[in-house]
Amino acid sequence: MADNFSRNQQVSKPAVHSSGGIVVAQHRHAAEVGAQVLAAGGDCVDAVVATSFALGAVEPWMSGVGGGGAMVLYRAASDTVEVIDFGMRSPAGLDARDYPLSGAGASADLFPWPRVVDDRNVHGAASIAVPGTVAGMAMAHARHARMPWRELVTPAVALARRGVIVDWFATDMIASGAPDLRRYPASAAAYLVDGLPPTAAWSVRQEVRLPQQRLAATLDELAAAGAQSFYQGDLAQSIAADVRAGGGSLSAADLAAYAAMPRAALTIPYRGGKVYATPELTAGPTLAGVLRALEAWQPHGSAPDAAAYAAFARAIQAGYRTRLADMGDADGRRAIGAEHLAPGCTSHFSVVDRHGNMAAVTQTLLSIFGSRYVLPSSGILMNNGILWFDTEAGKTNSLSGGKRCLTNYTPVIAADARGARIALGASGGRRILPAVAQLLSFTHDYAMDLQTAFHTPRIDASEGATVIADLRLPAAVRAALAAEFDSVEAALQTLPMKFACPSAVARDKGQNSGATEIFLPWAEAVAESPA
């Protein structure tokens, strides 16, 4: 793989340690909001709610109230794990005949489904599924929160009013969505300047911001009126009206009928411990298969060697063959979700509080900027969840109305044989599962702490026959992978990302730690108090 990157550059991001709580998120300001909630005496779930809404304000192209996701919660007092599923679903009135195939090959976005006329399933109002994030946060709040809803949502209001800070990373992210953002007036007004991606000021005394005033007003309404206002009442009517005016099928009835779902965690035995994952239409069941395969292999030493990385690759590839049996592409390379087509749009964050309660939360709009469609009245950037469905009829995952979306995220909470726990997940579409599986192996099989685990190179084996090998791996490991697999070497880089971006918190003997992807420039682990 040709590139221009230095072979000598070294990047590091130390793990954070504390006897108090820690929030790890893909944006420092969102993590700070959550940590402040913990410092004020909030429960882990209070920090989850506050961090979730804050993320939607500071990195809106990754997640927000217009999307969905899932969370895994560990409650220390009862020693129990629960899952809250707030995934998206297609509108009940969606008609698959409104998505005729164009005959122009495969889609140019995340999944290589046969292309639809005008890419109606990729961007625009017709690509919007029923969002679930607000309902998921409301369910978690009702079950475990200590602090008032309004107090937890209000920090996001202030962040939206302040606006997205434009730096080089923001410019790159916005540029990746600009060709479609400019199609929609409200989207262009929110994120582009004269139809172009904004750029940061050269002067250190100047800054460029993109205020999100309509979104701030909507979040303020949600803070005051409660989560139900998103699904019933004036706000729900406004959301549905804007979507339908743009040619989508989402209705007020779809919003009123939506409910987040509590689910039993998928319990996966591993190396004398247990991994608790999301069940059903997530990557949790596939992770179970990968970990079962890895248990048949025996690790050696204090760090993975060539045999270990080969075992990772075989297990991950086998897991994806099973997962994609009814929906994969025949050539084994462009199966569902192949991320070489376009970047995924997801945010993962993890939380642990001083009492040992833990959360792993993944929320998403699906593609970068989701539908690229900002609702004119509310300023909400909506998902493009319809893209999750196969555009060909007669398949298990074929597009139809009132159907739950098949997703790639897999937040987990795991306990090893000693009782140490980790809350873990990642962003990155299909690359999420390989990252989660390897980090679980690093911590369970090699007893790595988060600092070591997050600085240990990984592979990706989610793209059919291809294995992507981090160039930081020893030459002998890369040679062994190349001898057995169709192996491509890639430098660790920010954009386009070749590996998933994980975040985790851990708790061992009453002490907490947190770490995030070292190469993601905005991501941070923030403690409520010093170590």
Side-chain angles (χ1 to χ4, degrees):
M1 179 180 294
D3 64 61
N4 300 311
F5 296 104
S6 166
R7 293 293 189 264
N8 294 316
Q9 183 177 3
Q10 296 183 13
V11 178
S12 179
K13 186 183 293 185
V16 170
H17 304 274
S18 177
S19 58
I22 297 174
V23 180
V24 185
Q26 288 182 193
H27 197 293
R28 176 172 61 86
H29 294 155
E32 288 171 345
V33 165
Q36 288 163 6
V37 166
L38 294 178
D43 181 89
C44 170
V45 165
D46 291 305
V48 163
V49 175
T51 303
S52 172
F53 283 103
L55 277 169
V58 293
E59 54 160 21
W61 43 80
M62 287 294 182
S63 68
V65 297
M71 69 178 80
V72 185
L73 304 175
Y74 172 71
R75 305 303 298 172
S78 58
D79 192 27
T80 56
V81 177
E82 61 190 81
V83 171
I84 297 178
D85 177 354
F86 51 98
M88 297 173 245
R89 64 172 57 239
S90 59
L94 180 144
D95 188 340
R97 293 173 296 183
D98 292 334
Y99 299 82
L101 302 184
S102 68
S107 168
D109 208 276
L110 283 171
F111 309 117
W113 312 128
R115 196 161 191 170
V116 168
V117 172
D118 296 329
D119 287 328
R120 285 171 51 82
N121 62 324
V122 176
H123 58 79
S127 70
I128 296 171
V130 186
T133 295
V134 176
M137 295 305 140
M139 176 172 283
H141 184 266
R143 285 176 169 234
H144 302 295
R146 298 176 183 168
M147 299 173 67
W149 173 266
R150 181 166 193 163
E151 194 170 334
L152 300 175
V153 180
T154 296
V157 178
L159 289 171
R161 284 179 178 152
R162 184 197 67 177
V164 174
I165 300 172
V166 177
D167 53 24
W168 67 263
F169 187 61
T171 296
D172 279 355
M173 298 303 291
I174 294 170
S176 69
D180 290 325
L181 289 170
R182 64 185 181 184
R183 298 172 185 266
Y184 308 107
S187 305
Y191 297 108
L192 304 180
V193 177
D194 295 329
L196 299 172
T199 56
W202 283 94
S203 170
V204 295
R205 296 185 181 277
Q206 294 179 319
E207 64 179 14
V208 177
R209 293 179 184 265
L210 300 176
Q212 308 288 306
Q213 300 298 353
R214 285 193 178 90
L215 178 61
T218 298
L219 292 172
D220 198 31
E221 181 177 347
L222 273 174
Q228 198 58 29
S229 64
F230 190 90
Y231 296 97
Q232 297 178 15
D234 292 344
L235 179 55
Q237 293 290 337
S238 168
I239 292 170
D242 277 355
V243 173
R244 295 176 81 84
S249 56
L250 178 69
S251 69
D254 289 316
L255 291 167
Y258 184 87
M261 298 297 294
R263 303 198 186 279
L266 179 62
T267 304
I268 309 167
Y270 189 68
R271 305 288 190 202
K274 292 181 179 179
V275 177
Y276 300 94
T278 49
E280 301 190 14
L281 298 180
T282 69
T286 306
L287 176 66
V290 171
L291 294 180
R292 280 195 296 270
L294 287 179
E295 277 214 299
W297 150 80
Q298 290 301 317
H300 299 283
S302 59
D305 55 12
Y309 284 103
F312 296 155
R314 292 188 210 105
I316 293 164
Q317 288 183 340
Y320 270 104
R321 282 195 296 271
T322 300
R323 177 176 174 82
L324 308 176
D326 295 326
M327 59 196 76
D329 209 338
D331 68 6
R333 290 179 179 275
R334 296 180 58 197
I336 175 175
E339 300 302 324
H340 61 276
L341 295 175
C345 175
T346 301
S347 196
H348 178 83
F349 62 98
S350 298
V351 182
V352 59
D353 68 21
R354 67 185 67 184
H355 304 292
N357 299 307
M358 304 180 84
V361 186
T362 308
Q363 53 189 43
T364 185
L365 295 177
L366 183 53
S367 293
I368 187 76
F369 284 94
S371 63
R372 292 75 152 177
Y373 193 81
V374 172
L375 301 184
S377 301
S378 60
I380 298 172
L381 178 59
M382 297 296 284
N383 69 81
N384 65 335
I386 299 306
L387 181 59
W388 261 310
F389 298 102
D390 195 331
T391 54
E392 284 190 302
K395 306 285 188 67
T396 305
N397 191 43
S398 292
L399 179 60
S400 64
K403 196 170 182 178
R404 291 164 58 202
C405 299
L406 177 71
T407 63
N408 286 311
Y409 46 72
T410 179
V412 302
I413 290 178
D416 66 17
R418 301 181 301 105
R421 295 187 181 275
I422 183 172
L424 167 67
S427 63
R430 273 187 66 183
R431 293 172 179 160
I432 292 171
L433 186 151
V436 170
Q438 287 171 87
L439 284 166
L440 287 171
S441 177
F442 295 168
T443 56
H444 283 59
D445 297 332
Y446 300 99
M448 291 184 186
D449 58 19
L450 291 187
Q451 170 76 16
T452 305
F454 273 71
H455 287 78
T456 298
R458 304 188 307 271
I459 64 168
D460 183 81
S462 65
E463 295 190 14
T466 300
V467 172
I468 302 175
D470 189 327
L471 270 171
R472 296 175 302 159
L473 287 167
V477 172
R478 288 183 275 126
L481 290 172
E484 183 175 350
F485 304 96
D486 174 17
S487 182
V488 177
E489 297 179 353
L492 192 64
Q493 62 189 54
T494 303
L495 290 173
M497 297 173 184
K498 302 302 181 185
F499 303 91
C501 295
S503 298
V505 293
R507 184 173 178 86
D508 189 11
K509 299 177 182 177
Q511 292 296 305
N512 297 327
S513 58
T516 187
E517 170 55 46
I518 64 171
F519 221 79
L520 195 60
W522 285 357
E524 195 82 293
V526 179
E528 66 166 296
S529 58

